[in-house]
Amino acid sequence: MTKELERFIRYVEIDTQSDDKSDSTPSAAKELDLSRELVKELGEMGIAATLDEYGRVYAKLEGEKDLPAIGLNSHVDTALEVSGANVKANYIPSYDGGTIKMKDGYSMSPADFPRLANYKGSGLVVTDGTTLLGGDDKAGVAIIMATLDHYVSHPEEKHHTICVLFTPDEEIGRGPEHFDKKKFGADFAYTIDGADPDLVEDENFNAAHADVEFAGVAIHPGEAKGKMVNALRLAAEFDGLLDPSERPELTAGYEGFNHPLQMEGTAEHASLRYLIRNHDAAAFERQKREFVDATKEMNRRYPRAHVKVTIADDYRNMKEVFDRDPRAVKHADEVYEKLGIKARHEPIRGGTDGATFSFLGCPTPNLGTGSYNHHGRFEYLSEKDFETMIGIVIALVRA
Ligand SMILES: [Zn+2]
């Protein structure tokens, strides 16, 4: 097994699942188990690293002074859907292209996951079926560590100054909190938290959420005629006023959606939470206006009820930043081309920590990791794609 892969497996065996019920920073103290390990390993490489009071690891390997400083960041925590405790990574040095048997009757094969067929004859790391793998994003962490290790072991090779940031709590949306641009010190950066090695993700959704409250009029159903206004029916009717084509299950690519995430209520009072998503800023604003219009319409239809909407923005499409400052995307395109890889640009149908970093003055597109099927027991790492990504990131910071 290569040193890079060994390092990856060591990281996934450390439980770092974040906790969405916690208000502390980082949300789970166990996330620091990996952060501290990284500080230690960086120290052993001779790279000064600090773990700050918010659980963020910052490190820097000085390079050529006349070149822009390039940042690399990834997250140490793992997703909440499946346990990240007692991960037993199963390394298959040469995958035979068949069914991979796991514990508890689970298995994975190219019939379920066609992409697996690409990896016949090459190495895979899979779970034992009882946990997730945590390639999201320990593959990103391991790629960054391999890059640093490369330049530390090859002092004769010139490189950009490499600024490193490892964040906790990405999976609960709190990764970009406490971002210290000055401490990071990068002119532009790359988040290593995607999947496919040829994907340069430079667009994400504009995101907001809407909370809609429905106050109805409750009365004994036996004497309700002409009096009752049922809040649950108001909620259903409200949803019917939104564009029926803008739903997650009906959209892809650049198409936006409104997603009812949660509904609670009684006949007297109900509430609905929606996620509002669109890559296009104007369409995004139009969607938000539709919520306001639908609220007005409901209050017009039911003067005895009361419907109220509160809309809050969550994050913005980083494309807006790259249109102003294209250095990071341009640099990636040039390096991929030099390596003979045709970079694909696809919009992320979600968010990325890099979006926040971008709006805070550090343009940060998202690159791949070679790990797939994130957030579940079928997560796997392709050794070939992981090695390709290490090669790409080494080339990205090469002078
Ligand atoms: Zn991730």
Side-chain angles (χ1 to χ4, degrees), residues 59-232:
K60 191 176 285 179
L61 182 62
E62 296 288 346
E64 300 301 298
K65 295 271 175 275
D66 53 336
L67 293 176
I70 297 182
L72 301 172
N73 70 278
S74 56
H75 63 92
V76 299
D77 64 317
T78 58
L80 281 66
E81 285 90 337
V82 177
S83 169
N86 301 312
V87 170
K88 302 225 170 30
N90 174 18
Y91 174 48
I92 304 166
S94 178
Y95 171 53
D96 64 6
T99 300
I100 302 166
K101 290 222 178 335
M102 300 149 93
K103 276 191 184 163
D104 300 341
Y106 291 105
S107 67
M108 51 199 283
S109 73
D112 311 316
F113 306 106
R115 192 189 184 103
L116 279 177
N118 303 344
Y119 303 121
K120 193 175 170 188
S122 68
L124 287 181
V125 183
V126 299
T127 73
D128 69 354
T130 63
T131 65
L132 48 66
L133 180 63
D136 175 12
D137 186 21
K138 286 158 183 172
V141 175
I143 289 164
I144 295 171
M145 293 299 277
T147 301
L148 293 169
D149 198 358
H150 173 88
Y151 283 107
V152 167
S153 335
H154 296 87
E156 73 285 3
E157 292 184 22
K158 294 206 184 314
H159 56 85
H160 291 247
T161 290
I162 307 167
C163 308
V164 174
L165 171 59
F166 296 122
T167 56
D169 293 339
E170 189 271 353
E171 298 292 357
I172 58 169
R174 289 171 51 196
E177 287 178 10
H178 309 288
F179 176 64
D180 189 331
K181 185 180 178 281
K182 215 173 136 218
K183 211 190 286 180
F184 190 35
D187 293 304
F188 56 85
Y190 300 95
T191 305
I192 316 296
D193 190 22
D196 306 37
D198 61 339
L199 259 188
V200 176
E201 293 173 318
D202 52 4
E203 285 193 69
N204 59 285
F205 274 141
N206 291 294
H209 63 273
D211 286 308
V212 197
E213 300 282 331
F214 303 89
V217 179
I219 191 159
H220 188 289
E223 47 188 274
K225 189 165 184 181
K227 300 187 187 89
M228 178 188 280
V229 186
N230 189 320
L232 296 168

